């Protein structure tokens, strides 16, 4: 009998958290929706995207997709989805391109919030910022070369949030965007519920057991390994409080915090963000397995290079005491 009230309480908490998070996101998304609509009506999207064309060409994407990535970097993935849906009609993408775009967003998104967490934990902000941006571009270039060389994933991508085809009345556009926002609310709430279920089934513990030996090989100690796994599985936002607390308490050495947060910057929220990218047609080969492998190799190289620097250079460019 006691299980029924517990389930009701859990569902109520999931719904409450879904509403709260969705409202916070909508405060950012709605101005972007209106702004993109104005830019489209004025024909300015192409001009704004033009400076990003050389960068997007490096990863095999149309210039317009630079606006999607920029939105993800300075806002979040959900806002970028809205921009992608607004542009997708005029800029069709194949699955390989969507996967590359998804990986750009996965490695570098929500930078103002996530880099603030990093800075408060000790690692130097400029190094972490450039690691995220250049890491995303390097990973995107590798994936683009791999998919192009093998001819993989060249079919059209299936994107969940589709803009209405052709010219449409303003009221119909507004109604369509309301439907998109409602879909986002349902997705967010479902993801929160899924995370609760995975925790209840102790599947997150299984992830911990699988990843801990790999982190140990990379030189990340046991205390930092726990923090790292929280970020890898749950995301920097979820693990942020633990990261800052442990770093401030001096329970983790600066070099371990640096290695941990560098890895988490390149690859975090393996469950939630991966599921999100599946919704726009991205492939697991890039957004999960490729991202994890690239992040482990890149972090191992950066940690080994950092270890060769003098203590003065390490403290100046890589990490400092947490604040």
């Amino acid at each position: 009998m006691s299980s029924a009230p517990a389930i009701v309480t859990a569902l109520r908490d999931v719904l409450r958290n879904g509403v709260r998070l969705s409202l916070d996101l909508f405060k950012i998304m709605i101005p972007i929706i209106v702004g993109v609509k104005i830019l489209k009506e004025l024909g300015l999207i192409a001009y704004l995207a033009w400076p990003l064309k050389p960068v997007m060409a490096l990863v095999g994407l149309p210039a317009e997709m630079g606006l999607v990535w920029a939105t993800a970097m300075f806002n979040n993935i959900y806002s970028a989805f809205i921009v992608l849906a607004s542009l997708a009609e005029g800029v069709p993408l194949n699955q390989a391109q969507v996967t590359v775009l998804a990986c750009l967003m996965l490695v570098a998104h929500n930078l103002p919030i996530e880099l603030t967490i990093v800075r408060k934990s000790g690692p130097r902000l400029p190094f972490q910022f450039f690691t995220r941006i250049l890491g995303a571009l390097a990973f995107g270039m590798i994936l683009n070369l791999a998919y192009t060389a093998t001819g993989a994933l060249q079919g059209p991508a299936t994107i969940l949030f589709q803009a209405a085809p052709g010219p449409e009345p303003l009221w119909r556009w507004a109604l369509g965007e309301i439907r998109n926002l409602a879909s986002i609310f349902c997705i967010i709430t479902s993801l929160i519920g899924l995370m609760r279920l995975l925790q209840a089934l102790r599947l997150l513990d299984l992830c911990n057991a699988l990843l801990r030996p790999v982190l140990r090989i990379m030189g990340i100690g046991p205390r930092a390994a726990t923090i790292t796994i929280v970020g890898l599985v749950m995301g920097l936002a979820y693990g942020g409080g633990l990261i800052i607390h442990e770093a401030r308490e001096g329970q983790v050495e600066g070099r371990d915090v640096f290695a941990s947060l560098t890895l988490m910057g390149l690859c975090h929220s393996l469950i939630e963000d991966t599921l999100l990218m599946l919704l726009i047609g991205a492939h697991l080969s890039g957004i999960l397995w490729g991202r994890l492998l690239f992040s482990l190799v890149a972090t191992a190289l950066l940690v080994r290079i950092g270890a060769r620097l003098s203590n003065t250079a390490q403290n100046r460019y890589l990490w400092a005491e947490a604040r």
Side-chain angles (χ1 to χ4, degrees):
M1 295 293 292
S2 60
S3 62
I7 293 175
V8 171
T9 300
L11 291 175
R12 186 183 299 116
D13 290 341
V14 168
L15 181 60
R16 185 184 301 113
N17 290 331
V19 169
R20 184 173 65 247
L21 177 56
S22 297
L23 289 177
D24 290 340
L25 292 171
F26 292 167
K27 292 175 184 178
I28 298 172
M29 292 180 182
I30 292 175
I32 291 175
I33 293 171
V34 176
V36 169
K37 177 65 173 177
I38 293 173
L39 291 175
K40 284 185 65 178
E41 293 299 320
L42 296 178
L44 297 178
I45 291 290
Y47 296 101
L48 291 177
W50 180 80
L52 297 171
K53 184 174 182 178
V55 177
M56 292 296 98
L58 291 174
V59 294
L61 292 175
E64 291 83 353
M65 293 301 104
L67 185 60
V68 178
W69 187 30
T71 302
M73 282 193 286
F74 294 102
N75 289 287
N76 52 58
I77 291 173
Y78 299 99
S79 299
F81 278 10
I82 295 294
V83 179
L84 177 61
S86 300
L87 298 176
E89 176 192 355
V91 189
L93 301 174
N94 60 36
Q95 192 176 17
Q97 290 175 310
V98 166
T99 302
V100 171
L101 177 62
C103 289
L104 292 179
M105 293 191 286
L106 287 171
V107 175
H109 66 266
N110 204 15
L111 294 183
I113 293 175
E114 294 184 350
L115 290 178
T116 298
I117 294 173
V118 169
R119 179 179 61 83
K120 290 183 178 180
S121 302
R124 295 296 189 184
L125 186 61
F127 180 86
Q128 295 294 322
F129 173 78
F130 286 111
T131 297
R132 298 283 292 272
I133 301 298
L134 297 179
L137 288 174
F139 184 34
M141 291 173 63
I142 293 171
L143 281 181
N144 178 53
L145 289 173
Y147 291 142
T148 301
T150 61
L153 308 182
Q154 298 303 305
T158 301
I159 299 175
L160 178 65
F161 305 114
Q162 298 287 344
E168 59 180 347
L170 185 60
W171 68 268
R172 185 175 297 170
W173 165 80
L175 182 60
E177 296 301 339
I178 291 173
R179 290 197 193 100
N180 284 341
L181 293 174
S183 298
I184 290 174
F185 164 73
C186 294
I187 292 167
I188 291 173
T189 305
S190 299
L191 287 173
I192 292 173
L194 178 61
M195 295 300 296
R196 289 285 295 269
L197 179 61
L198 292 175
Q199 287 177 308
L201 296 176
R202 303 185 67 83
L203 291 180
L204 295 182
D205 293 340
L206 177 60
C207 293
N208 292 352
L210 293 174
L211 291 173
R212 193 181 298 274
V214 178
L215 300 178
R216 189 182 300 115
I217 293 173
M218 296 177 63
I220 299 177
R223 195 72 180 238
T226 301
I227 299 173
T228 305
I229 291 169
V230 170
L232 284 174
V233 177
M234 304 286 289
L236 271 171
Y238 291 110
L242 176 61
I243 295 167
I244 295 171
H245 174 75
E246 293 290 313
R248 286 179 174 174
E249 291 294 317
Q251 301 295 328
V252 183
E253 293 184 3
R255 66 182 67 249
D256 275 351
V257 175
F258 166 78
S260 173
L261 284 170
T262 299
L263 176 58
M264 279 189 283
L266 295 172
C267 183
H268 56 267
S269 195
L270 281 170
I271 297 175
E272 180 181 356
D273 286 356
T274 299
L275 291 173
L276 281 176
M277 292 306 172
L278 289 175
L279 296 175
I280 62 170
H283 196 267
L284 283 175
S285 61
I287 61 177
L288 180 59
W289 306 118
R291 176 167 56 124
L292 184 57
L293 178 60
F294 172 82
S295 302
L296 291 172
V297 172
T299 302
L301 290 174
L302 291 172
V303 169
R304 281 160 176 74
I305 293 172
R308 295 179 177 271
L309 300 178
S310 66
N311 289 336
T312 300
Q314 290 174 347
N315 292 328
R316 183 173 183 179
Y317 298 112
L318 301 184
W319 64 77
E321 295 299 324
R323 294 193 290 272

